[in-house]
Amino acid sequence: MTVEAAIEKASDILVRSRNAVVSSGAGMSAESGIATFRDPGGVWERLDPAQVGTTAGLLNTLQNNPEPLISMFHELLDVFANAEPNAGHEALYELERMGILQTVITQNIDNLHQEAGSIKVIEVHGNGFRFRCLSCSTRVAMSRKGLIRDVRARLDQLTDYSPAVLMDVMPQCDQCGSMMRPDVVMFGEAVQHIPEAYAAVQSADAMLALGTSGVVYPAAAFPFEAKKAGAPVIVVNPNENAFDSVSDVYVPMKAGEALPALVDNVRRKLG
Ligand code: NAD
Ligand code: ZN
């Protein structure tokens, strides 16, 4: 199937849809300047997930060999400070305003779907601009620029990254005074909002899997669940992915190019 035919078929599905659900992954934000972890040049080529992907591994690496991690962390702060929603995020907001898209489920922690305007966003891996109290689970959202400024200032003062020192610089909960931590899901930790995500997926009348490789579970299961419940599945990804057996339409393009084209087609068809 040509790319044009794939866009045409995908827009035919969306024109008929009133309860489309998105499952987005790191590729969704690649055109906002946030590189995926898994692709060539990504974080996992430079750092070992076993050493930095779990909370215990991260604390251990920070204490014993912090330099590569701290320098990568500064790079990520720069990237996140400058990231803005791309044309793909904006197209999804448009689909929501057209009454077609109802829910965005995302593995991303970058807040960009919300910043593009999307209202119902289920974040299964948390949000990098939010803290969570370790005792009472109170969550506090921070502003992108303010938080990054604050983290940079605190990092610049540290020479020792032992757990005791890090605990000291973490914010404290207003409700109970305990330590707060970034509200992101590390390897081995429980993913968030899975019942809500499954409910959205099982009631979807179309599923869009956008910029996700299909290897990180349980998010990888969403397109399969939607298909089982009768929804056609549209996959947008310029590279190979794990959804061949489930996709009704595969659009081999970047999300920031495919989604605006899809929305244009849908708008034309709806007249
Ligand atoms: P992943 O396994 O979902 O892989 C990313 C996918 O995006 C790949 O299949 C790749 O082919 C595709 N892709 C690359 N550029 C694209 C584009 N322009 N348009 C559409 N698709 C594109 O994700 P990962 O990178 O291995 O990350 C693992 C986890 O780490 C994520 O689930 C997330 O929790 C976290 N992460 C978050 C961000 C973010 O918040 N932006 C970025 C990197 C990683
Ligand atoms: Zn608390």
Side-chain angles (χ1 to χ4, degrees):
M1 195 188 290
T2 63
V3 169
E4 291 74 21
I7 296 267
E8 187 67 22
K9 191 169 171 198
S11 41
D12 280 337
I13 291 172
L14 292 176
V15 163
R16 289 192 296 271
S17 161
R18 290 292 168 272
N19 190 11
V21 172
V22 159
S23 175
S24 73
M28 184 76 218
S29 295
E31 290 149 276
S32 294
I34 305 175
T36 65
F37 284 0
R38 213 166 289 275
D39 289 311
V43 167
W44 298 147
E45 266 184 8
R46 291 167 60 187
L47 297 174
D48 178 356
Q51 284 175 4
V52 300
T54 63
T55 303
L58 188 66
L59 289 175
N60 190 38
T61 306
L62 278 169
Q63 182 159 22
N64 298 313
N65 180 26
E67 277 76 26
L69 186 52
I70 294 294
S71 95
M72 164 80 72
F73 200 58
H74 276 290
E75 279 176 44
L76 287 177
L77 287 177
D78 288 342
V79 162
F80 274 91
N82 296 318
E84 287 183 0
N86 64 52
H89 295 106
E90 280 157 12
L92 293 183
Y93 174 52
E94 206 47 43
L95 278 180
E96 188 174 318
R97 284 178 12 129
M98 293 162 94
I100 293 172
L101 176 63
Q102 299 301 337
T103 307
V104 174
I105 305 168
T106 188
Q107 297 158 69
N108 296 340
I109 59 158
D110 56 28
N111 208 47
L112 291 178
H113 284 297
Q114 293 92 327
E115 287 174 37
S118 292
I119 300 287
K120 188 162 176 212
V121 181
I122 301 177
E123 295 170 312
V124 291
H125 291 173
N127 185 306
F129 303 100
R130 197 171 58 216
F131 278 77
R132 180 177 84 237
C133 174
L134 288 177
S135 294
C136 72
S137 297
T138 291
R139 289 176 157 89
V140 179
M142 316 258 181
S143 82
R144 174 188 297 271
K145 301 265 178 206
L147 176 64
I148 289 176
R149 207 179 317 118
D150 196 40
V151 171
R152 276 205 189 106
R154 286 177 197 227
L155 274 183
D156 285 347
Q157 285 169 0
L158 296 184
T159 46
D160 168 1
Y161 303 95
S162 63
V165 170
L166 291 174
M167 273 169 70
D168 241 20
V169 296
M170 285 291 176
Q172 285 181 343
C173 175
D174 277 349
Q175 304 299 312
C176 75
S178 298
M179 188 184 119
M180 302 190 93
R181 59 160 270 182
D183 193 18
V184 296
V185 174
M186 305 286 286
F187 282 120
E189 295 180 347
V191 283
Q192 302 179 356
H193 307 298
I194 287 303
E196 295 100 300
Y198 266 95
V201 164
Q202 282 161 349
S203 67
D205 62 8
M207 157 63 61
L208 296 108
L210 310 174
T212 174
S213 64
V215 299
V216 182
Y217 273 82
F222 297 147
F224 294 91
E225 282 300 316
K227 180 77 168 202
K228 234 193 281 168
V233 175
I234 300 165
V235 174
V236 177
N237 195 320
N239 306 310
E240 252 179 60
N241 56 78
F243 298 120
D244 282 356
S245 66
V246 78
S247 70
D248 293 273
V249 189
Y250 171 44
V251 185
M253 284 171 81
K254 294 179 174 179
E257 291 166 3
L259 295 171
L262 259 177
V263 168
D264 280 351
N265 255 26
V266 169
R267 204 181 277 118
R268 195 168 36 75
K269 284 174 193 285
L270 289 174

